[in-house]
Amino acid sequence: MFAYSVGRSRFDSTPARHEAATLRDFARDVLRRRARDKASAGYVCAPFGNDGRRSRANAQPRAWLAIDADGIDPDAFVSWRLKLTGWRGFGWPTASSTPEAPRERVIIELSEPVDRDQGMALGALLTQDVEDGFGAAVRIDPCTYRAEQPCFLPLEGAQPFFLLGDPIDVPKWLAQVPPPRPAPPPATAEVAALADARMRYVVDQLGQAGLLTKPLANGRGYAVRCPWESTHTTADEPGATATALLFPAEANGWMGAFKCLHAHCAPRRLGDLLAVLRAASDRAAA
Ligand SMILES: [Zn+2]
């Protein structure tokens, strides 16, 4: 028996609960709900209890798992499909799939229902299994392993496919789940060395570019002139510390951080700063 819920569109927060006696009925019900376009596509996800809202807390067990193959190299496509045929289920190309860049969603039957955590654990193993076989040639988006994550339904004209292998043997697979990893120590010597080297490079480059303003009063980093200051809406007062380079510390996972309080810079991270500095030093070297 397959329990699932179907949302009418991405905005539907109380998807209707359905049950199908067989995989064939499940596939038929899902595949008949074709959408005209991506915007109006409905979704399938786990069944929900309580008030029926699509949420993590309401998720109920389900005997299937959705794989979101978000990128498949065309050269690996046939092998990927062959791999899938070892399992039982069905799938369809996503709305953005093209022959040059195939993407697909696959519903895989499980030997027994799993709860949300088990589904995610199984999903991690599935992803590992695919990575072992395909490396980067097949990229899996792990989101759909979450019970409450919408798995969007096919568009009209999408060619579904059916997999006639075996359901995934849940007890056998779950027995392989590694024990939870202990919390990482504050910083391994390796991470610290890496973060230090990166930080030295950034400080050195900012210094050479004349962007290093002064050490922060709290000793946790440097005030810097923002490389993106031309995008700021307001100019900083002299001596302001709206833009800062922070040394490795617990709060930034011991990796160091870049912080600019100007709205345009909110999403910018240390990696963006590094990229700008590298590009500048490459230009200087050229
Ligand atoms: Zn900025």
Side-chain angles (χ1 to χ4, degrees):
M1 212 265 295
F2 296 89
Y4 55 101
S5 60
V6 175
R8 291 181 305 269
S9 76
R10 65 180 65 234
F11 304 111
D12 186 358
S13 59
T14 51
R17 190 193 165 92
H18 294 264
E19 281 174 6
T22 64
L23 182 69
R24 185 191 297 205
D25 291 342
F26 184 18
R28 187 182 288 141
D29 186 38
V30 166
L31 296 173
R32 75 187 168 85
R33 299 169 187 274
R34 311 292 188 94
R36 271 192 309 280
D37 49 45
K38 198 174 172 179
S40 64
Y43 63 83
V44 58
C45 55
F48 298 104
N50 302 321
D51 63 0
R53 289 201 163 266
R54 184 173 71 79
S55 71
R56 174 185 178 149
N58 287 346
Q60 293 188 326
R62 66 208 199 278
W64 56 274
L65 207 59
I67 300 180
D68 186 358
D70 202 30
I72 306 163
D73 287 359
D75 289 346
F77 189 72
V78 171
S79 311
W80 163 245
R81 281 288 180 84
L82 273 172
K83 158 91 184 162
L84 286 178
T85 55
W87 293 324
R88 200 168 131 82
F90 59 98
W92 59 89
T94 73
S96 51
S97 180
T98 62
E100 298 74 40
R103 301 169 131 192
E104 39 193 44
R105 301 215 166 81
V106 191
I107 304 273
I108 302 285
E109 179 176 347
L110 306 179
S111 63
E112 58 189 69
V114 294
D115 64 22
R116 184 179 188 276
D117 287 343
Q118 290 171 324
M120 288 167 60
L122 263 184
L125 291 172
L126 271 172
T127 297
Q128 188 59 56
D129 188 50
V130 171
E131 276 175 8
D132 289 348
F134 292 89
V138 176
R139 277 89 62 198
I140 305 288
D141 179 345
C143 288
T144 53
Y145 298 144
R146 298 203 297 253
E148 72 279 14
Q149 179 74 20
C151 175
F152 290 101
L153 297 176
L155 298 191
E156 283 170 7
Q159 287 282 333
F161 53 92
F162 300 90
L163 308 169
L164 306 177
D166 301 313
I168 282 186
D169 186 332
V170 171
K172 197 169 129 192
W173 278 66
L174 285 183
Q176 304 173 32
V177 174
R181 273 189 302 179
T188 64
E190 212 174 327
V191 169
L194 201 77
D196 275 356
R198 193 156 83 145
M199 199 46 62
R200 274 200 301 276
Y201 173 82
V202 172
V203 169
D204 188 45
Q205 293 289 312
L206 285 172
Q208 285 181 33
L211 295 175
L212 217 48
T213 313
K214 58 173 184 186
L216 292 176
N218 60 16
R220 290 187 185 154
Y222 283 103
V224 299
R225 256 181 68 196
C226 179
W228 296 280
E229 72 181 353
S230 63
T231 68
H232 294 170
T233 321
T234 52
D236 286 339
E237 299 288 321
T241 54
T243 309
L245 177 71
L246 301 175
F247 295 144
E250 191 167 12
N252 54 48
W254 303 101
M255 293 306 289
F258 169 75
K259 241 182 201 156
C260 177
L261 300 179
H262 290 275
H264 286 95
C265 291
R268 295 195 164 116
R269 302 281 176 265
L270 189 56
D272 302 304
L273 179 64
L274 265 169
V276 164
L277 296 174
R278 290 215 172 99
S281 79
D282 287 353
R283 272 200 306 277

